[in-house]
Amino acid sequence: MVWIHGGKYLEGTSGNPHHDGTTLAQSGVVVVNMNYRVGAEGFGRIGGAPDNRGILDQVAALQWVQDNVAAFGGDPGNVTVFGQSAGAGCIAALLAMPMAAGLFRRAIAQSVPGTYFTPRLAAAISATIAAEVGMQATVDELARISPRDLIDATDAVIQKMPEYVESWGPTALTPTPFSPVVDGDVLPAAPWRALTTGAAWGVDVLVGHTRDEYRLFNARLGSEVTDEQVSATLELLAPDSDKDYRTVYLEARAGQLDELVNADWLFRMPSLHLANAHHAGVGTPGPMNSAGASIPRKAPHTASTTYWCSARSASMKCATTVGRPRWTRPITSATRCAPTG
């Protein structure tokens, strides 16, 4: 099983203790973790470099698994990729990418984000970030600044993203300025369209989401939300659906309805549509789970990862309390980056 971490395409590491693979490894699974480029270096549209460099890193890691996992007791013909949030978004992209065909047999995508950028949108966002340091978004110009400067420029743009809603659309109201780019080359088509035509034929796919996906990102949580704000959210994310949502969720308060619409747009419906697209493409039912359906407390985004990393722990603590994985040397140290500079 190969884990692809999330982090808004902006951050994250294979060393996150909340994603420790000990429990799975002690159950007899060969667990592989990886790092990949994130932020502008991994997902920005930069002139002179291929798009989706972070996902190209993942392809390189999966190729490494094919070449080397047998030495750790794994079966290269029985690889499952699994990931959550941005990791699930990357998996959806991998399912649609011809260069990733044959690198894994199964895929588990939890909380798939629905944002995949056109080249035009990705270029506009990257140009805005580069302008923060007086540069253009090209390899030659950005090579003159430090990685720290590029991160700081990204952070500066994140702080004012809502100002760009007129030009960037709903993306400007999400937690991140990055997403996979449907460039027609590395990623030929959006995952939903690609899977509908059978791009992931032969791959078993399990898709899921939590009940309260947007709770983690809700900037309005704890404040009074007006009906006018809910109507504005509906107009932006689900045009012509104002009456439908209010009819179905008659007892929902304004704040609950606002959070629900955001959750549907960003995570829940993209996850459902991915499962349906795969079903349409291969002609078999696409498994779907909804974490939190029987949990009395909230089940926000990321809650589902607690279960696989502590599946054999009655205390629900992360598996880091159990011990170290059984692999004989750190697999991540041998994972190479994609050869894109």
Side-chain angles (χ1 to χ4, degrees):
M1 296 188 72
V2 181
W3 170 249
I4 301 179
H5 69 74
K8 301 176 286 189
Y9 307 108
L10 182 67
E11 57 194 8
T13 170
S14 65
N16 187 336
H18 297 292
H19 300 157
D20 187 279
T22 301
T23 297
L24 290 175
Q26 289 183 333
S27 300
V29 177
V30 177
V31 182
V32 181
N33 209 336
M34 69 171 78
N35 287 311
Y36 58 93
R37 280 173 286 185
V38 294
E41 292 191 359
F43 292 92
R45 185 166 174 82
I46 298 174
D51 289 315
N52 303 304
R53 294 172 299 282
I55 304 178
L56 290 174
D57 290 346
Q58 296 164 15
V59 171
L62 289 168
Q63 291 170 338
W64 182 93
V65 169
Q66 289 295 309
D67 295 339
N68 296 282
V69 79
F72 298 90
D75 178 0
N78 191 25
V79 174
T80 297
V81 292
F82 67 126
Q84 183 264 348
S85 193
C90 289
I91 288 173
L94 288 167
L95 287 166
M97 289 167 53
M99 68 172 61
L103 295 179
F104 52 92
R105 176 67 183 80
R106 296 180 177 88
I108 302 171
Q110 176 69 26
S111 303
V112 181
T115 50
Y116 291 80
F117 291 171
T118 63
R120 181 179 179 180
L121 175 58
I125 293 172
S126 294
T128 302
I129 293 171
E132 288 287 324
V133 287
M135 299 287 180
Q136 293 185 348
T138 66
V139 169
D140 290 342
E141 293 216 14
L142 294 180
R144 303 177 197 168
I145 65 173
S146 70
R148 179 74 257 176
D149 289 339
L150 191 56
I151 292 171
D152 290 343
T154 300
D155 288 343
V157 170
I158 289 173
Q159 296 305 313
K160 52 187 178 183
M161 278 177 60
E163 299 175 15
Y164 295 96
V165 69
E166 291 297 325
S167 55
W168 296 357
T171 291
L173 302 181
T174 69
T176 178
F178 301 115
S179 285
V181 181
V182 183
D183 61 351
D185 181 19
V186 174
L187 182 55
W192 301 275
R193 179 175 297 176
L195 266 63
T196 299
T197 60
W201 181 272
V203 180
D204 298 329
V205 178
L206 172 66
V207 186
H209 62 74
T210 65
R211 187 183 58 199
D212 307 294
E213 284 283 5
Y214 200 69
R215 176 58 57 100
L216 183 66
F217 307 107
N218 191 352
R220 294 173 175 171
L221 192 64
S223 60
E224 188 69 26
V225 179
T226 66
D227 283 339
E228 290 74 16
Q229 288 175 312
V230 175
S231 294
T233 298
L234 283 161
E235 181 61 28
L236 182 64
L237 303 182
D240 304 320
S241 298
D242 189 304
K243 183 178 179 180
D244 294 337
Y245 268 94
R246 294 181 188 276
T247 299
V248 172
Y249 299 99
L250 285 172
E251 298 182 1
R253 297 188 298 273
Q256 293 173 320
L257 193 58
D258 187 72
E259 184 177 301
L260 176 67
V261 174
N262 276 281
D264 279 354
W265 179 81
L266 189 55
F267 293 111
R268 297 200 317 195
M269 297 315 295
S271 298
L272 178 61
H273 292 325
L274 188 73
N276 288 340
H278 187 59
H279 180 195
V282 304
T284 58
M288 185 78 191
N289 75 78
S290 180
S294 60
I295 300 174
R297 293 177 292 177
K298 293 297 182 181
H301 189 71
T302 76
S304 56
T305 58
T306 305
Y307 292 90
W308 70 258
C309 80
S310 58
R312 298 180 67 181
S313 170
S315 65
M316 290 298 291
K317 293 181 179 178
C318 195
T320 49
T321 59
V322 179
R324 295 189 60 81
R326 293 189 298 163
W327 50 64
T328 57
R329 64 179 185 270
I331 292 179
T332 52
S333 66
T335 302
R336 61 184 182 274
C337 284
T340 60

